[in-house]
Amino acid sequence: MEASLHTWLETEFTYFKVEELAAELARLARDDQDFILGWIRRIASTHITLAWQFGRRAPALLPRMERRLLEAWAVHTCDVFDRTGLQTALRVMEQVDSFDQAQHQHDAAGALFEDFAPVLGNFVCGLSGRRLRIEEGDAAWTDGERIVLPPLVAEFPERDDNFQLAKLMVALAWAQTRFGTLRVDHARIAAAYAEPERALSRLNALETLRLNARIARELPGLHREMQRLATLDSRLTPAWQGFADRLTRNEASIDDSLALLDAAYAEPQCPRWTGQLDLRPDAVAAARAARLDMEKARLRVRLAELLEEQTENRASPASAEAHPATAEVEPRDEGGRLDFDITLDGVPLAPPDDVRQLLTSVYLDFGEIPPEYLTPAGDGEYDPNLVFDRPEDPDAVWHGTYHEKGAELYPEWDHGRQHYRKNWCVMREKTVPPSHDDFYRQTLAKHQGAVKQLRRKFEALRDENRLDRRQTQGDEIDLDALIEALADAKDGREMSDRLFVRLHRAERNIAVAFLVDMSGSTKGWINEAEREALILLCEALELLGDRYAIYGFSGTTRKRCELFRIKTFDEAYDDEVKARISGIRPQEYTRMGFALRHLSKLLNRVDARTRVLVTLSDGRPDDYFDVYRGEYGVEDTRMALLEASRTGIHPFCITLDREARDYLPHMYGAARYIILDDVRQLPLKVTDIYRRITT
């Protein structure tokens, strides 16, 4: 044990007294020793000081705490270190000692965030309103765009009850967004009182009363669980019972809570209900301010686009331009779900999903759709590509103005820790700058013989027919079925009517995403071969009609993970896409996990029977002066591939790395990759490989 601790804690550079720790561990059972040593090793891969502190505390904590709880605290401490640094993580580590024996009995049955978050994420997605994401934090609260929950919910001695409590917290956060709690300026309202915090707590309690009643009507099953878990509802003072009588009416709104605030503020007691959330005005205001202008711009642009489509479909377009366009929106409640009727320039319109989502979010902020949101944007008024989807300058990270606004955050698997680093990779999508040159024509001319051959192969694949036997009607008699039917009739049994063969054209229902390595190591021959291969692939896929997308990836550290749009699933293979393929150029390093996770998410949005993710690479996962080199990068990539496989995606790798046999079988499995020894083979082989893996 001493030798291992010296190695893991790097004691030649520290003052840790591992001999004392080893002696303390020696008094424990072997199973307990292995548990503590295993976690010291895992945590040391994040920071040796945290590992040392865990080792010092764990022997005393293990007899009175479940292992799963100790593991949760260890992982949470590492997550805090990832987000905020060593000092905050050490404070979290010290909080383990603050639990008393009674609290431990509850905590042993606590619900862990990593266990309940995936389930409750699906739960909240099924509720009406703005899409909310679930994140881990210090307490339970929402800013209207995310729901933050603590790492451990341990209010009750039974684990199922604690899970139900976490679900209740999510429902209350959703209700705050759905039913108007976040529509007002809480900080301004509280500032009007001598004790703003007292006013804020009273307003929060009033709103919790009102929202509990709304949940009872919208989610009666969950409300029954709320009643079972409730601890204070039956002990309301007469004043608070009066508040409850008013706020539980069907028509009660945030205005009723505000009207009662003066009376509630004067009350000496303020009840707090089971599952009640914190109210954080600053976070709510910041999220709302960032959202309003963006959604106004987005909605006006989309209305302008819909108006343009509507005008093009009219027999007399000129009449549409004789007066300013107008839009009218009527919200309606469809069984608890918000929906909207739109009239655009006097014509009823079924709103597309993205417009419906925008209208829902705006309605939640205002309780109506303000008239200024319903004026379609004029020409040049907004550039939707700049306004909506990207930060002003994705490359500003290297100029001192870096922030994570506009980026997507992805987890990364830490093999040493055996857990994910949450929200670790900062990813931005960028478009490959198009190069309008002769590369496309030169490629077709260079490979004209191969192009003719692949067209014949893929046309045959497209037109492949299948015989469906034993049909009730068809093109020919099914002799086998007829013989069996005659034999049945001779034996006195009922004769089948399925006596025909039908010639059926095979329907391909495939979506494929190509992920192209754009790291610096692809310079020269490899870059040219990749681009030629993509041209030939697109030519073949256009014949087949398969839905496909092409993205490139590169990165420099976890803070600059870049995905390059070359062709999306919805884009046509036109001159612009051809120019982007020509414009593919080597970038930085090969951080791969984030790209696989993002492409998996895009693929899972496509309605297809078969979804394939093909990676085109020239080497192993790698990054700049980063732990991503070596085992860490290979294991994160492997985990991203496993995540994709669990959702039904079929990953495959085409690589030019002759040393790939050392790591690709571990990452992809024995039969899901191919190694090309000669880069010049790539354009000629890749279409044949695609044909094999999709048939």
Side-chain angles (χ1 to χ4, degrees):
M1 287 191 290
E2 284 185 15
S4 297
L5 291 170
H6 277 298
T7 301
W8 299 334
L9 300 176
E10 302 176 13
T11 53
E12 62 179 303
F13 305 109
T14 65
Y15 298 99
F16 299 144
K17 298 178 180 179
V18 298
E19 293 80 8
E20 296 179 4
L21 176 56
E24 188 172 5
L25 292 176
R27 293 192 289 269
L28 303 178
R30 178 59 185 269
D31 187 49
D32 292 339
Q33 293 174 3
D34 291 342
F35 174 80
I36 294 174
L37 289 170
W39 273 100
I40 290 174
R41 178 182 56 79
R42 290 191 198 181
I43 300 171
S45 70
T46 298
H47 200 285
I48 57 175
T49 301
L50 294 178
W52 167 249
Q53 293 295 336
F54 178 86
R56 288 179 55 218
R57 290 172 168 77
L61 292 168
L62 195 56
R64 54 192 178 93
M65 293 178 67
E66 270 198 1
R67 289 187 180 184
R68 60 186 291 275
L69 183 59
L70 268 177
E71 290 177 355
W73 272 106
V75 172
H76 178 57
T77 302
C78 292
D79 290 339
V80 171
F81 172 80
D82 291 342
R83 294 195 302 268
T84 59
L86 180 61
Q87 294 305 315
T88 311
L90 287 173
R91 285 197 294 272
V92 171
M93 185 70 75
E94 291 167 0
Q95 290 173 4
V96 182
D97 291 328
S98 66
F99 288 171
D100 58 31
Q101 186 65 34
Q103 186 66 44
H104 293 324
Q105 294 172 0
H106 283 181
D107 291 335
L112 301 176
F113 178 87
E114 62 186 34
D115 293 336
F116 62 67
V119 179
L120 297 184
N122 293 330
F123 166 68
V124 77
C125 281
L127 300 176
S128 172
R130 186 182 296 125
R131 290 172 180 165
L132 302 168
R133 63 185 186 273
I134 294 180
E135 296 181 1
E136 184 179 353
D138 57 337
W141 56 278
T142 182
D143 61 5
E145 293 192 355
R146 56 184 173 149
I147 298 173
V148 180
L149 297 174
L152 177 72
V153 177
E155 192 78 17
F156 300 103
E158 297 295 330
R159 190 172 302 172
D160 287 345
D161 289 346
N162 287 315
F163 172 80
Q164 290 297 331
L165 179 58
K167 188 175 183 180
L168 169 59
M169 292 173 177
V170 169
L172 279 169
W174 162 76
Q176 284 189 355
T177 302
R178 175 68 175 82
F179 299 116
T181 301
L182 308 185
R183 202 173 289 158
V184 298
D185 187 341
H186 304 98
R188 180 185 59 80
I189 293 168
Y193 292 84
E195 298 179 48
E197 287 298 323
R198 178 187 175 101
L200 195 64
S201 66
R202 267 56 176 179
L203 178 59
N204 192 13
L206 291 168
E207 277 296 277
T208 303
L209 263 176
R210 182 176 72 88
L211 296 179
N212 281 341
R214 294 305 298 255
I215 291 174
R217 293 190 286 274
E218 301 288 338
L219 303 168
L222 180 59
H223 185 253
R224 285 192 290 272
E225 289 294 323
M226 290 169 56
Q227 290 179 309
R228 184 175 65 82
L229 299 176
T231 56
L232 290 180
D233 288 7
S234 60
R235 292 180 289 170
L236 292 176
T237 64
W240 278 95
Q241 187 59 56
F243 302 154
D245 292 341
R246 177 168 173 179
L247 293 174
T248 53
R249 298 172 184 169
N250 289 350
E251 67 277 8
S253 69
I254 179 66
D255 293 333
D256 292 283
S257 294
L258 294 175
L260 294 171
L261 183 55
D262 284 348
Y265 180 82
E267 285 296 306
Q269 294 181 344
C270 179
R272 184 175 180 89
W273 284 272
T274 304
Q276 182 172 321
L277 276 61
D278 292 348
L279 198 57
R280 303 205 173 178
D282 292 344
V284 172
R288 189 172 191 267
R291 185 171 59 243
L292 291 185
D293 288 342
M294 179 75 73
E295 291 185 343
K296 180 179 179 181
R298 186 190 293 244
L299 181 57
R300 293 188 61 200
V301 168
R302 286 295 287 124
L303 290 175
E305 292 171 350
L306 293 173
L307 180 64
E308 183 178 357
E309 294 174 9
Q310 181 174 286
T311 302
E312 290 174 353
N313 294 331
R314 288 182 181 178
S316 176
S319 63
E321 301 173 0
H323 60 277
T326 58
E328 296 179 2
V329 174
E330 185 68 30
R332 52 189 170 85
D333 193 315
E334 291 286 340
R337 301 187 69 84
L338 276 175
D339 206 348
F340 300 88
D341 294 321
I342 297 183
T343 304
L344 188 56
D345 210 19
V347 179
L349 176 72
D353 287 342
D354 62 329
V355 175
R356 186 179 289 107
Q357 280 291 328
L358 279 170
L359 290 170
T360 298
S361 187
V362 173
Y363 183 86
L364 294 180
D365 279 329
F366 294 99
E368 60 178 2
I369 309 296
E372 62 269 22
Y373 279 64
L374 298 176
T375 305
D379 292 341
E381 191 170 354
Y382 293 111
D383 179 349
N385 289 325
L386 290 176
V387 173
F388 308 140
D389 298 327
R390 305 186 193 101
E392 291 76 6
D393 179 9
D395 295 318
V397 57
W398 302 120
H399 303 296
T401 60
Y402 173 77
H403 51 74
E404 295 180 2
K405 179 184 176 183
E408 289 197 55
L409 303 179
Y410 280 98
E412 195 167 83
W413 177 255
D414 185 333
H415 177 65
R417 189 189 298 179
Q418 285 291 294
H419 277 272
Y420 288 97
R421 292 176 179 258
K422 300 180 179 68
N423 297 328
W424 189 244
C425 292
V426 182
M427 189 216 77
R428 287 183 174 82
E429 278 195 27
K430 301 170 69 173
T431 301
V432 171
S435 178
H436 297 280
D437 53 21
D438 291 331
F439 181 79
Y440 170 73
R441 287 184 290 274
Q442 290 171 357
T443 299
L444 293 186
K446 178 180 177 182
H447 299 287
Q448 57 182 332
V451 169
K452 290 179 182 178
Q453 186 180 16
L454 75 88
R455 281 178 176 163
R456 285 196 299 270
K457 288 181 179 179
F458 277 74
E459 282 173 351
L461 187 64
R462 179 191 63 191
D463 296 332
E464 185 182 59
N465 292 326
R466 179 177 81 231
L467 286 178
D468 290 340
R469 299 186 179 276
R470 301 181 185 277
Q471 303 296 308
T472 56
Q473 54 186 338
D475 306 297
E476 298 178 5
I477 299 293
D478 187 337
L479 292 178
D480 291 338
L482 178 60
I483 291 170
E484 288 183 16
L486 291 172
D488 288 342
K490 190 171 183 178
D491 290 342
R493 286 176 289 186
E494 184 178 356
M495 184 173 173
S496 171
D497 62 349
R498 295 183 173 273
L499 305 175
F500 297 91
V501 173
R502 184 173 60 200
L503 196 61
H504 178 69
R505 174 169 289 177
E507 295 182 2
R508 292 177 63 86
N509 186 8
I510 295 174
V512 59
F514 293 95
L515 186 59
V516 183
D517 186 351
M518 289 175 57
S519 61
S521 60
T522 61
K523 289 179 181 177
W525 271 95
I526 296 176
N527 176 257
E528 183 176 344
E530 282 184 341
R531 291 185 291 145
E532 290 180 357
L534 291 174
I535 291 290
L536 298 185
L537 258 176
C538 291
E539 294 292 312
L541 290 170
E542 289 298 308
L543 290 171
L544 278 178
D546 290 353
R547 286 164 290 176
Y548 66 102
I550 306 172
Y551 286 80
F553 73 97
S554 179
T556 306
T557 76
R558 72 181 184 90
K559 288 289 190 178
R560 186 176 181 174
C561 299
E562 294 177 328
L563 202 72
F564 296 88
R565 284 186 296 266
I566 301 168
K567 180 189 177 299
T568 67
F569 283 107
D570 298 327
E571 284 183 300
Y573 178 53
D574 54 17
D575 290 341
E576 182 69 14
V577 171
K578 295 170 185 174
R580 288 184 206 150
I581 294 175
S582 178
I584 294 173
R585 295 293 182 269
Q587 301 294 320
E588 302 293 341
Y589 290 83
T590 319
R591 200 177 198 106
M592 196 178 292
F594 79 90
L596 291 167
R597 291 183 174 97
H598 188 69
L599 262 290
S600 297
K601 182 170 75 172
L602 297 182
L603 261 175
N604 281 318
R605 292 174 180 170
V606 180
D607 184 16
R609 184 173 61 246
T610 303
R611 297 188 297 275
V612 182
L613 175 54
V614 180
T615 305
L616 210 61
S617 178
D618 76 323
R620 70 172 64 227
D622 192 15
D623 205 343
Y624 172 78
F625 290 133
D626 193 286
V627 296
Y628 209 79
R629 290 183 167 175
E631 185 181 30
Y632 183 105
V634 169
E635 292 296 337
D636 174 57
T637 304
R638 177 176 180 269
M639 186 59 72
L641 291 166
L642 288 173
E643 294 164 19
S645 297
R646 291 183 194 124
T647 65
I649 292 172
H650 304 282
F652 194 86
C653 181
I654 304 171
T655 185
L656 301 167
D657 184 7
R658 296 181 181 182
E659 299 178 356
R661 289 180 179 85
D662 295 340
Y663 59 89
L664 273 189
H666 180 62
M667 284 166 44
Y668 279 87
R672 296 195 295 183
Y673 68 91
I674 189 168
I675 300 171
L676 299 180
D677 295 328
D678 186 351
V679 65
R680 289 170 293 188
Q681 294 179 318
L682 181 61
L684 304 176
K685 292 282 189 179
V686 71
T687 50
D688 194 45
I689 294 167
Y690 177 77
R691 185 168 59 89
R692 294 206 316 266
I693 65 177
T694 59
T695 56

